[in-house]
Amino acid sequence: MRASYTFNVTPSLPPRLERLRELAYNLRWSWDHETIALFRRLDRQLWEDVGHNPVVLLGKIEQGKLEEAARDEAFLAHLDRVCCSLDQYMMEGGWYARAHDDADGLKVAYFSAEFGLTECLPVYSGGLGILAGDHLKSASDLGVPLVAVGILYQEGYFRQYLNADGWQQEQYEDNDFFNMPVAPERRENGETVKIEVQYPGRKVRARVWRVQVGRVPLYLLDTNVPENSPDDRAISGRLYGGDLEMRIKQEVLLGVGGVHALAELGIEANVFHMNEGHSAFLALERIRRVMEQRGASFAEARELTSAGNVFTTHTPVPAGNDRFPPELFMKYLAHYVKALGLSEKELLGLGREKPESNGEPFCMTVLALKLASHRNGVSALHGKVSRRMWQGVWPNLPEDEMPIDSITNGVHFRSWISHDLADLYDRYLGPKWMEDPTDRWIWDSAENIPREELWRTHERRRERLVAFARRHLKKQIVRRGGSSVEIREAEEVLDPEALTIGFARRFATYKRADLILRNPERLVNILCNKERPVQLIFAGKAHPRDNYGKEVLRKIVHMIRDGNLRRRIVFMEDYDMAVARYLVQGVDVWLNTPRRLLEASGTSGMKASANGAINVSILDGWWWEAYSPEAGWKIGNDEDYDDRDHQDEVESNALYNLLEQEIVPMFYNRNSNGLPVEWISLMKSATRLLCPAYNTNRMVHDYAEKFYLPSFHTWAELKGEEMTRAKLLAQWKKLLHSMWREIEVEDVQVENGGELQVGEQIKVSARVALAEIRPEDVAVEVYYGRLDSRGEIADGKVARMEWREQDGNGGHMFSGFVPCAASGRNGFAVRVLPNHCDFGRCYEPGLITWK
């Protein structure tokens, strides 16, 4: 029976405790230990029972306990202290206000399909969402003027449980938005803010919700409203749920609906950050709005909006780069043909590497790459992989010059470092480690932490992890109807003093969760050594349609049931942020074994290292740039094998060798006080080397300095004076595209070629036919470097050639010098690219001529 009337019931708080409501609805509590301690103080057991959700806590707690707290002077003093801290935090400007008081006007809109902020707001699936959540937290801490946009999923991502055979099952649970730290956004008259988004033959309504993340507002869209049909209400149903058509529906809601929502709220963002390609339709909607509001052409609006678009790609795995068949794309986006004044083929071409290819699917990543002014991978190695992967977008441009940069991911320390380790850092590093975790001088003080204190703190956290794992395992067994014997055995799994290795992440094929299981006999010998025991804790979810990932998970469960390993290996179901915190704070070793070049970054290892765990990883993602013998261990080197089975064999043996010969001996080599001195030294050096670089304060600082502010300044220049400069830029590019085919490097002369010595230089002259294009509108360059075995220029460098004169036949003479920096076989080629007087060299697809 459906309700005829609806109403909301809110907690009844004594007046003196009223500000608890405000604290509950600002997610700063999720990274502020003092606020968490305040809520836990009200009812410690209830805090755990409600999944660390302060909104539910305040709704379920006995009224008598609230009245008692309102009379408790100690609790009230704690409350006042926390409220004062929040007030001060909200009023301060942060780093951005101090460093960029002259950059008034920047407003960043950060779009992501998922946000992992806290376990009681389950609208995330894994690393992408948690990275987005940490991005917002650091943007808040730094005071970067940013708002965020996402989707409020009715069922979120699935809850995981295993059947009796160890096969993953998925369970979806309704999110009760009215018992979560999220509130409907309202107009001044109290009316709920809703938007409309165009879908085939209809408009879909979406309600706007708000999550306050410190200083940053996050707006989430929800189509589960009475005005919509059942099918449309399901658009915001499940994260990554449904088929390809549901995916495009959600991405229209996120990208197009997100732009609508900001406009409806009166938020005039000027830099739009697309966190992965899911939100790339926002670029089309921004162009449409500028054309409609300013009477601009498509080309003019594209120049203006692209200047303010930033795109971060997160994965080289094909499944992570959405592609839609042309007919499906046109079903949902056909109205943009008329709105943008394009042909159907031109619109589809925006999402194709080869625009002329009629059969090529429409790729969201390609759309974002083409319509952004700044693009990046999420580690130095991922930047290189991305440049290679997307060469087709800029044909004929050398791989190392692809306009895809890299900003390495980080983690939000306050959210992930345990309370007791944070106290230790406070004592020996000073409180500034939280305020400015990028300061290397602060982390050098980690060497001053007494060995005994650091190790005892770490041991307490391992004991806490083991206790949590036992409780978690018991719940798993009870849930699937296990026997009383199994339940008793769960109380004895793991050893709180044994070397503990953690492996927790998505169970995707390339993550190779089973690499350490490849030689069971050798693994048993390592784990079950009575003098030097080792234990493994696994956690993670396989995608509902990834049967291979589920099979790997089942393989682990069956291995656990081996009598020798029952106490040495644990799999913890339903991996979420709460499980992740226990793991990264309590393990000794963090294991990462992806297939090389497929791990874009890997932030879980950063969380572990910030908590004193030592990374053991394949040289991929962040570890490729972070690895040092003083920070942890590498599995293998940079080798890549064509035979994947052989690669797995080589790298699993390398892992076993590390465990047997280095890791286990170092952990159990104790001094007379029972301390593993060498291990503790490695913990300290890893902290000193890794913490200043791999945090989201550094990451967001990089985005602000390298992308947000330059994008904003360019956007402001193009927008000024009725978009005069945007119009001129569009006209300039139109001229170049119409005449570029007439450009030709007709002749190249070398003045002093042949045998040369290091330190000399070659003078190069070129005659270039430019037709009607002015010399100042092109950059004529020498691209030079060492030649590889195929005669290709490797690690090419660029030398600019200067215009000298126009000869009598209309040709333009350019000359320059090529330095001979290294011995060996070298070579060069001459090329012509567009060059704008204000914006410099342009990497415009198709506009490059070589000789």
Side-chain angles (χ1 to χ4, degrees), residues 26-101:
N26 188 320
L27 288 190
R28 180 176 177 264
W29 65 259
S30 68
W31 72 90
D32 183 70
H33 292 304
E34 276 294 293
T35 314
I36 293 171
L38 180 71
F39 285 120
R40 185 183 284 123
R41 189 169 180 168
L42 283 170
D43 190 321
R44 182 174 295 273
Q45 186 55 52
L46 184 58
W47 175 254
E48 298 299 326
D49 292 344
V50 300
H52 307 158
N53 184 337
V55 176
V56 176
L57 175 80
L58 295 179
K60 285 193 170 184
I61 193 169
E62 296 174 8
Q63 193 66 29
K65 288 190 175 182
L66 290 175
E67 299 294 345
E68 182 181 338
R71 296 189 297 270
D72 184 340
E73 293 298 327
F75 181 86
L76 294 177
H78 191 172
L79 172 62
D80 291 342
R81 190 166 64 249
V82 167
C83 290
C84 181
S85 173
L86 176 64
D87 292 341
Q88 184 176 356
Y89 178 88
M90 296 298 286
M91 286 189 296
E92 289 175 349
W95 159 82
Y96 182 84
R98 296 191 298 271
H100 296 288
D101 56 354

Side-chain angles (χ1 to χ4, degrees), residues 482-641:
S483 67
S484 57
V485 174
E486 288 181 286
I487 294 172
R488 284 197 300 273
E489 287 179 344
E491 295 174 351
E492 298 178 355
V493 300
L494 305 178
D495 178 349
E497 296 184 356
L499 171 61
T500 304
I501 301 172
F503 182 100
R505 51 191 41 85
R506 286 187 300 115
F507 267 60
T509 305
Y510 75 89
K511 302 276 190 181
R512 296 191 299 178
D514 56 344
L515 189 71
I516 195 172
L517 312 178
R518 189 174 176 88
N519 187 332
E521 183 177 346
R522 196 170 176 185
L523 179 62
V524 168
N525 290 336
I526 293 170
L527 298 185
C528 298
N529 185 309
K530 291 183 179 180
E531 301 299 320
R532 303 187 305 188
V534 179
Q535 54 202 16
L536 277 166
I537 302 179
F538 287 95
K541 298 177 179 180
H543 189 280
R545 292 190 291 274
D546 182 3
N547 286 332
Y548 181 85
K550 292 183 179 182
E551 186 57 48
V552 170
L553 200 160
R554 190 173 77 95
K555 179 180 176 181
I556 293 171
V557 172
H558 279 251
M559 182 169 280
I560 292 171
R561 291 174 182 170
D562 181 310
N564 292 322
L565 297 177
R566 192 180 296 273
R567 295 184 60 185
R568 292 285 171 233
I569 306 179
V570 167
F571 180 85
M572 293 206 286
E573 294 177 9
D574 203 30
Y575 183 45
D576 66 0
M577 292 180 72
V579 174
R581 271 195 297 274
Y582 275 101
L583 281 166
V584 299
Q585 293 172 6
V587 299
D588 302 292
V589 168
W590 194 259
L591 181 63
N592 189 31
T593 53
R595 197 171 298 285
R596 241 181 67 80
L597 304 184
L598 293 179
E599 180 80 280
S601 179
T603 53
S604 60
M606 301 175 190
K607 300 179 184 82
S609 68
N611 279 285
I614 309 300
N615 277 272
V616 179
S617 177
I618 299 290
L619 286 173
D620 200 12
W622 79 292
W623 198 237
W624 182 79
E625 62 193 86
Y627 167 73
S628 158
E630 296 179 80
W633 286 277
K634 62 177 179 176
I635 302 170
N637 294 301
D638 282 335
E639 307 101 342
D640 294 312
Y641 301 88

Side-chain angles (χ1 to χ4, degrees), residues 39-321:
F39 285 120
R40 185 183 284 123
R41 189 169 180 168
L42 283 170
D43 190 321
R44 182 174 295 273
Q45 186 55 52
L46 184 58
W47 175 254
E48 298 299 326
D49 292 344
V50 300
H52 307 158
N53 184 337
V55 176
V56 176
L57 175 80
L58 295 179
K60 285 193 170 184
I61 193 169
E62 296 174 8
Q63 193 66 29
K65 288 190 175 182
L66 290 175
E67 299 294 345
E68 182 181 338
R71 296 189 297 270
D72 184 340
E73 293 298 327
F75 181 86
L76 294 177
H78 191 172
L79 172 62
D80 291 342
R81 190 166 64 249
V82 167
C83 290
C84 181
S85 173
L86 176 64
D87 292 341
Q88 184 176 356
Y89 178 88
M90 296 298 286
M91 286 189 296
E92 289 175 349
W95 159 82
Y96 182 84
R98 296 191 298 271
H100 296 288
D101 56 354
D102 59 336
D104 187 40
L106 171 68
K107 176 67 77 173
V108 180
Y110 182 90
F111 281 63
S112 182
E114 49 175 306
F115 287 92
L117 292 156
T118 169
E119 57 267 31
C120 70
L121 187 58
V123 290
Y124 64 95
S125 71
L128 175 70
I130 293 174
L131 182 279
D134 281 7
H135 192 114
L136 301 195
K137 292 172 182 178
S138 276
S140 172
D141 289 343
L142 294 171
V144 175
L146 182 145
V147 300
V149 178
I151 297 176
L152 187 59
Y153 301 97
Q154 188 63 58
E155 295 181 340
Y157 205 51
F158 68 89
R159 305 295 300 271
Q160 177 199 54
Y161 68 97
L162 306 182
N163 66 18
D165 189 43
W167 191 257
Q168 174 182 291
Q169 305 290 304
E170 295 87 34
Q171 179 179 342
Y172 290 88
E173 297 180 359
D174 265 357
N175 284 324
D176 180 2
F177 301 151
F178 293 94
N179 272 313
M180 292 163 60
V182 51
E185 187 70 3
R186 299 187 183 279
R187 305 183 195 280
E188 290 185 3
N189 62 5
E191 179 186 347
T192 302
V193 175
K194 292 182 181 178
I195 60 163
E196 289 186 339
V197 183
Q198 182 68 51
Y199 281 79
R202 68 201 188 278
K203 289 189 176 180
V204 174
R205 300 267 282 173
R207 176 170 39 191
V208 181
W209 297 77
R210 180 185 180 120
V211 179
Q212 193 64 38
V213 187
R215 301 182 180 108
V216 170
L218 164 61
Y219 298 102
L220 299 175
L221 306 180
D222 162 32
T223 63
N224 188 17
V225 295
E227 300 94 314
N228 291 333
S229 69
D231 284 347
D232 290 339
R233 294 181 74 157
I235 292 174
S236 61
R238 294 179 178 177
L239 172 60
Y240 306 139
D243 56 12
L244 202 58
E245 186 158 6
M246 178 56 78
R247 179 64 65 91
I248 198 170
K249 288 180 182 179
Q250 290 186 335
E251 295 185 352
V252 168
L253 175 65
L254 175 61
V256 178
V259 175
H260 286 336
L262 293 178
E264 191 69 22
L265 295 167
I267 297 171
E268 296 182 7
N270 37 51
V271 174
F272 284 67
H273 187 166
M274 297 171 274
N275 187 46
E276 197 53 278
H278 305 120
S279 61
F281 289 141
L282 72 81
L284 299 179
E285 178 59 19
R286 291 193 70 206
I287 293 172
R288 186 197 68 78
R289 284 176 173 266
V290 170
M291 292 175 67
E292 181 183 271
Q293 295 168 2
R294 296 179 173 270
S297 69
F298 170 79
E300 294 162 354
R302 176 179 179 170
E303 293 302 331
L304 176 61
T305 58
S306 294
N309 287 341
V310 172
F311 170 56
T312 300
T313 176
H314 282 267
T315 178
V317 178
N321 297 279

Side-chain angles (χ1 to χ4, degrees), residues 744-749 765-769 813-814 830 851:
E744 182 182 359
V745 181
E746 296 180 325
D747 185 46
V748 175
Q749 297 290 329
S765 300
R767 184 177 189 275
V768 182
M813 302 304 299
F814 292 81
V830 175
K851 177 73 171 181

